[in-house]
Structure formats: structure tokens, C-alpha cells
């Protein structure tokens, strides 16, 4: 028997909000839409490399540099306005399918909802407000508070400090295995939002997996008993 | 005046050996050649994420999982033989243009040459032998010895322990800014092999930069005085 879940901790970028506007934006400066994954992986790779060397920088700055790297790799020129438009698209991410229903189900079951992002807290707040999801969320937490990135343990501890609940009473919900691997190592339960993706065997396995946010919400509510 | 360089420490994958056979191999299983960068970034992202959580795995295993992730993202099917062929292409990487001349220049100037890779030591040895570069290299060092990945400081220390020279008498040579950032933080001098790439401003700047390996060798020999 696993412990009941009192707190659902959501990854924000890609898990709750869709990167599709960013994909469209990169095509306007001559990149291929498929390079969204390349760019985001460049950015995360560099964020984690900086974390390992205790030299955290704001994630938007890292992504701006990663965009310049991608443009150089693809030998695509882009002016400042085009680059700004691409970076600005992160502010226009819509909620993923079923996000509202997922949050409603958890709230109705008395589960506290926390947002825990590698992005800035203000950006997360603004995205949640645009999607009318802000009233569901008790705490909006950002890596900015500790100067490390997920998957470093100190980031997950922000959630434990905010809620006062035991680590194992928290469930981290993400569509990124590296995030769930870190959460698991920090003592949390974990739920993978699959969306047809592969979960790497080198990472700590997730406790639950569902196709979409609503499937994961259902599993969490069931586990609550 | 910067300190004279007694030891040239080379990153191996991509810096000294070309990933182009791997690029060709991924097209044979239905991926686009441009996804070489995507795949390698997935692998490094996951290697660093595992490092942050003190859960190192062999880099080839991480890359195998990252290949499966890429195939799922691109909705491309591949059988085991095709996947094995792609992973096997890492053993067939030829030396980059000017690698031999670069190693000759450094050796003729009395500079000790060390290989320091996130890949297995045996793989590095075999690549160096195939390119007739093994006799130039005094030490073949791998992250396997410490169970961390570059850019974690403990990996660079392997070089200091092998040579007995001061950190600042070592120059790390790489075409990856995240590697040079780590080396700089560990007290080394650094040289970027540019090949038209963008050096991210979020990373510690490199001390030297040259277009190709021979340009970097020239700068190092000049600095030796």
C-alpha cells in the first residue's frame, strides 16, 4: 500500500501548458517546427550543466542562448525582433487538453495543488491566470527561490516547506522523466503524463502513468482511497 | 600573462571524432539527419539530470534510451537491429579534420595530451587507435572512474591526478561550451573549437577560441611562450 496523496505538485512548461505556440513561432524565423524538441533539449542540457557547476542562471536567459545555438547549428539567420517573438511565445502557452478537468478533480477530492517550475514564478502565475486555473493552485513555486534547477533535490523541498506535508504525501506530475527521477529521489510519489512518449529505463521508474492529465488525476484520486 | 600550458586535455566525442557516421546511421532507420543534434542533446540532458541526482549510468545506456525517446517523439518505428546499428556507429567515428596535425603540433612542443571523455575509456582507446592517434596520448580518462559526468568538477580532477600538474597548467579543449564551463570552474584554462557554433553567454567564457583543432593547437603553443 502506498501512502495517500495530499498534495499534487505540477510541472508547468509542457506538462500543464502546451509549447505549440513556441513551435509555430520558431517556423516564422526559418527553423523547422520539429526543432522545438531540439531547442528545449539544448536549454535543459545547459540548465543542468550550469546547476552541476553551481552557477544557476534564469531559465529564460538559458533558452535565449540555446535559441542562438540552434540558429547557428541550422545556419538560419534571425533578427532581434524575430528572436524576441520566439522567446515571447512562452508567455502564450495555452493549457494542455483536460488541464481544467484534472485540476477540478483533484480540488474536489481535497488534494492541494502546487505549481513547481524551472521557469520564473511570475510567468507561471500569468499562465495560470490566463487559463483560469490560478484559483485552484495554493502555491506557485520557482527554482528562482533556491538558485538550482529541478531535478536538484532542493527544488522539490520547496514544496515540502510550503505545504508542511511529508515528502511521500506529495505526488510530482510531469511529462518529463528527468523531473520525476528527481522527485522520486527526493522522496515523492510520481506520475508520468505519457502522451505517447518513451520513459527512459535509466531514470527512476514512475509510480503511476496516464496518457493525459485527466488520466493521471483519476489515478491519484483512486490512490487517495 | 596567463600560465603556460603543460597539458592539453581533449574532449573526445564530437571534439576530436566526428559524429557524421551516427548522423548517416539515424537516417537509415527513418529519422532525419538533423535529429543527430536532438538526440545528442536528449542524451546529455539526461546524463546531467542523472548526475544532479547522484545516479550516474553508462553514457551508452543513456544514449540508447534517448534514441528510443527520439523515435517516439518523431513517431518513427525501428527494430532492434536498426537501433543497434545506430548505437554501433559511435564506434566508427573518424577523427575530425586536422586532428593528427593538432596532436603533432602539441606533442612537438612538449605538451602532454590527455583524453577525457563522458564515454567509456575502452571506446576512446579504440577510436584513438583507429585514427593512429593513440601514441600521442599519455592518459585515456573516463567519467566511469568517478561515477559523475563532465561538467562535474570531480571528472576534471582525474586529469590533475593523472598528470600531477596544477589545474591552471591544463587546457581543456572542446567544441561544447558546457564542458569548458565546467573545466573553467575546476581551475583549468579553456579553448573552444568553434566550427561556426554559438558560445552561450550564460556559460563561463573560454580563454581561447579557434575555428578548428589546428587553430586551437596554434593558440596553445603560442601561449606556452
Amino acid at each position: 500500500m502506498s501512502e495517500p496523496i495530499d498534495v499534487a505538485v505540477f510541472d508547468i512548461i509542457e506538462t500543464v501548458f502546451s509549447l505549440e505556440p513556441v513551435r509555430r513561432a520558431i517556423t516564422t524565423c526559418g527553423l523547422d517546427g520539429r526543432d522545438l524538441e531540439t531547442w528545449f533539449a539544448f536549454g535543459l542540457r545547459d540548465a543542468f550543466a550550469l546547476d552541476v557547476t553551481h552557477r544557476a542562471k534564469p531559465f529564460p536567459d538559458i533558452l535565449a542562448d540555446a535559441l542562438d545555438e540552434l540558429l547557428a547549428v541550422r545556419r538560419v539567420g534571425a533578427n532581434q525582433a524575430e528572436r524576441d517573438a520566439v522567446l515571447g511565445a512562452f508567455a502564450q502557452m495555452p493549457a494542455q487538453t483536460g488541464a481544467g478537468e484534472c485540476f477540478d478533480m483533484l480540488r474536489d477530492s481535497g488534494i492541494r495543488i502546487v505549481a513547481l517550475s524551472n521557469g520564473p514564478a511570475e510567468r507561471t502565475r500569468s499562465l495560470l491566470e490566463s487559463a483560469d486555473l490560478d484559483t485552484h493552485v495554493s502555491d506557485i513555486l520557482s527554482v528562482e527561490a533556491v538558485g538550482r534547477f529541478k531535478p536538484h533535490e532542493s527544488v522539490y523541498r520547496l514544496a515540502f516547506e510550503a505545504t508542511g506535508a511529508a515528502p511521500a504525501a506529495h505526488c510530482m506530475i510531469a511529462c518529463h522523466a528527468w523531473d520525476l527521477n528527481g522527485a522520486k529521489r527526493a522522496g515523492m510519489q510520481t506520475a508520468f503524463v505519457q502522451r505517447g512518449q518513451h520513459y527512459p529505463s535509466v531514470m527512476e521508474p514512475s509510480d503511476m502513468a496516464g496518457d493525459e492529465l485527466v488520466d493521471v488525476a483519476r489515478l491519484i484520486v483512486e490512490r487517495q482511497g
Side-chain angles (χ1 to χ4, degrees), chain A residues 58-115:
Chain A
F59 196 41
D61 294 354
I62 295 170
L63 283 171
D65 255 319
L67 177 59
D68 286 340
E69 182 187 350
L70 180 60
L71 290 165
V73 165
R74 299 306 188 217
R75 303 187 199 291
V76 168
N79 61 35
Q80 191 59 47
E82 288 169 323
R83 291 161 67 251
D84 288 347
V86 170
L87 296 166
F90 280 96
Q92 291 143 26
M93 295 187 287
Q96 293 276 16
T97 308
E101 193 185 340
C102 164
F103 277 33
D104 284 346
M105 281 173 65
L106 295 171
R107 187 179 57 178
D108 294 349
S109 299
I111 293 172
R112 181 168 171 171
I113 297 175
V114 171

Side-chain angles (χ1 to χ4, degrees), chain A residues 28-44:
Chain A
T28 64
C29 68
L31 290 165
D32 189 296
R34 285 174 298 181
D35 263 338
L36 173 67
E37 281 80 14
T38 320
W39 177 26
F40 205 59
F42 281 2
L44 290 168

Side-chain angles (χ1 to χ4, degrees), chain A residues 3-10 102-114 135-139 163 165 169-173 189 208 216-225:
Chain A
E3 208 159 327
I5 294 163
D6 297 324
V7 187
V9 184
F10 282 88
C102 164
F103 277 33
D104 284 346
M105 281 173 65
L106 295 171
R107 187 179 57 178
D108 294 349
S109 299
I111 293 172
R112 181 168 171 171
I113 297 175
V114 171
T135 55
H136 294 68
V137 174
S138 71
D139 310 85
T163 66
H170 296 75
C171 183
M172 184 76 213
I173 298 144
Q189 298 189 57
M208 290 164 273
V216 163
R218 204 168 292 123
L219 291 168
I220 291 173
V221 170
E222 278 168 15
R223 184 162 294 213
Q224 206 195 16

Side-chain angles (χ1 to χ4, degrees), chain A residues 86-183:
Chain A
V86 170
L87 296 166
F90 280 96
Q92 291 143 26
M93 295 187 287
Q96 293 276 16
T97 308
E101 193 185 340
C102 164
F103 277 33
D104 284 346
M105 281 173 65
L106 295 171
R107 187 179 57 178
D108 294 349
S109 299
I111 293 172
R112 181 168 171 171
I113 297 175
V114 171
L116 182 63
S117 180
N118 273 340
E122 266 321 299
R123 167 68 53 83
T124 303
R125 181 177 307 279
S126 149
L127 289 168
L128 289 166
E129 282 172 2
S130 303
D132 283 328
L133 292 171
D134 53 312
T135 55
H136 294 68
V137 174
S138 71
D139 310 85
I140 296 175
L141 306 172
S142 163
V143 294
E144 291 167 326
V146 286
R148 307 291 307 245
F149 283 102
K150 288 186 286 179
H152 191 268
E153 191 179 356
S154 61
V155 180
Y156 304 101
R157 279 201 213 118
L158 285 175
F160 314 155
E161 286 158 18
T163 66
H170 296 75
C171 183
M172 184 76 213
I173 298 144
C175 63
H176 306 123
W178 52 262
D179 196 348
L180 300 179
N181 173 73

